[in-house]
Amino acid sequence: MIVCGDDALAERLAAELTTVYRERVTLVVPTGHRTSPTGPARAATMLGRVQAVVNRTAGSATDGASDAPHVLEVPELTEVVLAEAGVYEAAALALVHDDDETNIRAALAARRLNPRLRLVIRLYNRRLGQHLEELLDQAAALAVPGLDPEALDSSTTVLSDADTAAPALAATAVAGTSKVIQADGLLLRAVERTPPGHGETAGPGLCTLALLSSTTNDPAGAEGSDASGREGPMLLPDDDTVATSTGHGTVVLETVTHSAATPPPRRLAGRGAPLGSLFSRRLRWSLAGLMACVLALAVATWLTSEQKHPLHAAYLTLLDLFAINDPAIGEPTTRQVLQLLAGLAGLLFLPVLLAAVLEALGTFRTASALRRPPRGLSGHVVLLGLGKIGTRVLTRLNELSIPVVCVEEDPEARGIPLARRLRVPTILGDVTQEGVLEAAKVHRAHALLALTSIDTTNLEAALYARSVKPDLRVALRLYDDEFAAAVHRTLRAAHPRALTRSRSVSTLAAPAFAGAMMGRQILGAIPVERRMLVFAALNVAGHPHFEGRTIAESFRAGAWRVIALDTTEPDDRLPDLAATPAHDSADRPTGLIWDLHPGYVLHPQDRVVLAATRQGLAELLGRQPQLRARSSDR
């Protein structure tokens, strides 16, 4: 396996492949990175960080020690460098530089050097990624005419660390939801449940994904530690273990809803803009009052005059309202009084009409400007940072119709145009400055998502928000796992009744990238404390653990569990269950069945959706190069 990159994702991906999948990894690192030393110290520093991650996870991931990746330091990623890294003999290549252009250029060169190579490319632009997948797969098919079409489905995979981590980050801020996975246009929602009290029973769910550790109820506990032991979570337990466990919370696959069921929020840019978007509440009440007054004058004129038709009486009232009718000299007193009242109403109507015109023009003029938070806003999510991660999280929260207030210091940030288009209230300012979080109405917010790229900024914002509202739900984006665990313990001890989560984007994204390098369709990954559950789509054919076995027999506690069956005909199946269906196929019925009978026998033509631990998925993949090497020696 070859991993090319220079950030945290490259480090964690190399460690993931080494510790979980027991692969030989070559890590290609560029020299002269702006945040790291140059020369030989760069490779040594990178190797030291990767080795630290390997040492932390080797004990729980595999038996025995894991070989450290080989680090190759190069000034530029060229064809010569790829050949030196072993691209001709490699099984997979991951290009995870933060620069899309660098990844695309290297992908084109690698496909030309080795058409059979499995490529995993990190791209932020999803549309460009789809076109790139088709281009590289077509190039592989033309270079190797006899290449298996099924292999082409996984020969090129374009992923985004932002897209992989955004559902988990966004779901942290949603009440009753902790993790969300998309499969075949459906949303899987995994929720954390507290232990039931004496005499209580837990609610229904499709299946139990994990038993949480005892530290989740301990304010000073280390939530999410990777260390194995009784304090760690128990992933994919059997039914007997769940029934006999007491005092432990659970992670349950609770509901399955159609992704199109959530209505999109109302926007000014659509057809038929709502009246409330054009005129303020005061102006609407003023207009309604004046219209009622004019109606009353018209009725009074009809009843007191000799005019028998009500439309004629309404016409006279409008003439009096706009002061273009003849004076009622010599007419009855009631007619004169009504004319005076109509003239007075006309004087009041003109400034209100002018205000309505100015408000409408101002609304259309500022339709492309950033909104300010409404006065009565409450129960919303305060999102700090509109960079690459924050933009994807904002999109996810908007799809779930969750009210959001964004805070961003850079007016040219990546997510500012999206916030302007979605009409999301946005505060421009430094979150560490006094008054910025108050302007975002954090004291009435439901949750705070601190997703800037600076750990200290996220921590400072979280601490200040907690001082304003102690029970605020907080989710932090932190780079270092040890620092994140320490922050979590401290915040939980200081605010035991508040929910605190610390998340690392690279930690959330690395399993999906590693699974794609192994050649399997990964639907997503959800964190359980500091461990990970991976959801994958797997063809039953060729897997002795599933083929010819029942659903109950295929289940292995702590390793994998079949949670759904794809009943769609093989020719009509979506190649990528994690992708959002196209517009022409969005109305088609899903072929996934979630409530499976334990006695159903799996057939070779079946495709299943399973939840697996990283070690369980590695066993299913059957990639054990060291074992194969020993067998060949014999």
Side-chain angles (χ1 to χ4, degrees):
M1 299 289 176
I2 303 175
V3 178
C4 301
D6 60 349
D7 60 358
L9 179 59
E11 299 171 10
R12 298 186 188 279
L13 179 55
E16 184 88 8
L17 294 169
T18 302
T19 58
V20 177
Y21 299 104
R22 301 289 291 173
E23 291 289 338
R24 292 175 296 173
V25 180
T26 298
L27 180 60
V28 181
V29 182
T31 59
H33 192 258
R34 60 180 181 275
T35 60
S36 301
T38 58
R42 167 61 178 161
T45 303
M46 193 77 166
L47 179 60
R49 288 200 298 264
V50 175
Q51 186 62 53
V53 178
V54 170
N55 293 336
R56 287 199 302 267
T57 59
S60 59
T62 56
D63 296 330
S66 298
D67 296 332
H70 171 64
V71 179
L72 179 63
E73 187 180 15
V74 296
E76 187 178 359
L77 192 60
T78 60
E79 293 186 9
V80 177
V81 171
L82 291 174
E84 183 181 355
V87 71
Y88 294 106
E89 301 83 13
L93 167 66
L95 301 167
V96 293
H97 290 90
D98 196 43
D99 182 22
D100 288 359
E101 183 180 352
T102 301
N103 293 333
I104 294 174
R105 186 179 303 171
L108 295 175
R111 176 60 75 216
R112 185 168 56 254
L113 294 176
N114 186 357
R116 298 178 179 271
L117 181 69
R118 184 179 299 114
L119 290 175
V120 178
I121 309 170
R122 173 188 184 181
L123 286 184
Y124 181 80
N125 192 327
R126 287 178 287 187
R127 180 175 299 180
L128 176 60
Q130 294 176 357
H131 296 313
L132 185 63
E133 281 187 358
E134 298 175 357
L135 175 64
L136 294 177
D137 285 345
Q138 184 178 2
L142 294 176
V144 185
L147 193 62
D148 187 3
E150 294 184 358
L152 285 178
D153 293 338
S154 58
S155 63
T156 304
T157 305
V158 177
L159 296 175
S160 168
D161 55 337
D163 286 334
T164 306
L169 292 171
T172 306
V174 180
T177 306
S178 56
K179 296 97 183 175
V180 176
I181 300 294
Q182 179 169 295
D184 198 18
L186 301 176
L187 290 180
L188 311 180
R189 186 177 66 175
V191 297
E192 293 184 8
R193 289 181 178 173
T194 56
H198 180 70
E200 298 178 355
T201 57
L206 293 179
C207 64
T208 300
L209 298 177
L211 286 174
L212 299 177
S213 64
S214 58
T215 59
T216 55
N217 295 324
D218 179 10
E223 181 265 349
S225 176
D226 276 337
S228 60
R230 63 181 181 180
E231 291 188 353
M234 183 180 297
L235 302 183
L236 301 175
D238 54 35
D239 296 337
D240 295 336
T241 304
V242 175
T244 57
S245 297
T246 58
H248 290 263
T250 58
V251 177
V252 181
L253 191 64
E254 186 180 52
T255 60
V256 179
T257 58
H258 199 276
S259 59
T262 303
R266 296 189 304 174
R267 303 186 185 94
L268 181 64
R271 292 182 178 179
L275 190 64
S277 301
L278 295 176
F279 306 116
S280 63
R281 179 178 299 179
R282 289 183 179 181
L283 186 58
R284 296 198 302 269
W285 279 107
S286 300
L287 288 172
L290 285 175
M291 296 303 295
C293 179
V294 171
L295 181 61
L297 289 175
V299 172
T301 301
W302 175 52
L303 294 176
T304 58
S305 65
E306 298 178 355
Q307 302 294 334
K308 297 183 179 180
H309 203 286
L311 291 180
H312 187 75
Y315 176 69
L316 292 178
T317 302
L318 291 177
L319 292 178
D320 294 334
L321 182 71
F322 295 110
I324 57 177
N325 197 8
D326 294 332
I329 299 176
E331 297 189 15
T333 305
T334 54
R335 169 70 182 125
Q336 294 176 349
V337 173
L338 290 175
Q339 189 178 53
L340 291 175
L341 292 176
L344 180 61
L347 293 177
L348 297 176
F349 180 74
L350 289 178
V352 174
L353 181 62
L354 179 61
V357 173
L358 294 178
E359 276 201 9
L361 290 176
T363 300
F364 282 111
R365 179 175 296 179
T366 59
S368 60
L370 294 174
R371 291 183 58 197
R372 303 289 295 180
R375 291 185 179 180
L377 182 63
S378 63
H380 57 286
V381 175
V382 178
L383 175 61
L384 309 183
L386 285 177
K388 183 173 63 173
I389 305 299
T391 302
R392 290 288 189 251
V393 174
L394 174 60
T395 303
R396 191 69 177 179
L397 291 174
N398 181 72
E399 292 173 353
L400 298 174
S401 298
I402 304 299
V404 184
V405 174
C406 301
V407 180
E408 173 57 51
E409 181 180 8
D410 184 11
E412 303 296 330
R414 190 192 298 263
I416 291 295
L418 177 65
R420 182 181 292 113
R421 179 170 58 86
L422 297 178
R423 302 290 291 148
V424 175
T426 304
I427 305 297
L428 290 178
D430 187 359
V431 70
T432 61
Q433 299 297 322
E434 185 177 357
V436 175
L437 284 178
E438 286 83 354
K441 304 187 184 302
V442 71
H443 59 285
R444 293 205 297 263
H446 170 72
L448 172 71
L449 287 176
L451 304 180
T452 69
S453 58
I454 305 175
D455 287 0
T456 55
T457 300
N458 296 335
L459 179 58
E460 182 178 354
L463 294 176
Y464 181 76
R466 276 287 169 81
S467 66
V468 175
K469 187 178 181 181
D471 60 342
L472 181 68
R473 183 191 299 260
V474 172
L476 300 174
R477 173 191 175 188
L478 298 177
Y479 172 79
D480 185 75
D481 276 348
E482 294 181 356
F483 179 58
V487 169
H488 170 81
R489 287 194 298 266
T490 305
L491 290 179
R492 283 290 297 269
H495 304 279
R497 296 185 178 181
L499 180 62
T500 304
R501 291 290 183 267
S502 56
R503 296 289 182 250
S504 170
V505 173
S506 57
T507 301
L508 296 175
F513 279 80
M517 293 186 71
M518 305 306 296
R520 287 294 176 249
Q521 181 59 55
I522 302 298
L523 304 181
I526 61 172
V528 179
E529 298 182 8
R530 306 305 279 186
R531 299 183 66 184
M532 197 72 60
L533 268 178
V534 181
F535 290 79
L538 189 69
N539 292 322
V540 173
H543 288 275
H545 299 289
F546 300 106
E547 189 174 351
R549 295 176 179 263
T550 64
I551 297 294
E553 293 172 347
S554 65
F555 169 57
R556 180 183 293 184
W560 60 73
R561 180 171 191 164
V562 176
I563 60 175
L565 176 68
D566 191 357
T567 59
T568 309
E569 294 295 330
D571 296 337
D572 299 332
R573 290 173 182 170
L574 290 177
D576 186 1
L577 284 178
T580 301
H583 295 289
D584 55 354
S585 60
D587 296 332
R588 68 174 183 86
T590 177
L592 296 180
I593 297 178
W594 302 95
D595 190 10
L596 298 176
H597 191 279
Y600 176 80
V601 179
L602 296 173
H603 300 88
Q605 65 272 17
D606 291 337
R607 179 169 68 167
V608 295
V609 176
L610 55 89
T613 62
R614 294 182 291 186
Q615 296 78 17
L617 184 61
E619 182 177 350
L620 289 176
L621 296 177
R623 293 186 60 85
Q624 300 292 340
Q626 296 182 0
L627 295 179
R628 289 199 303 268
R630 294 172 184 172
S631 301
S632 61
D633 293 340
R634 294 177 183 175

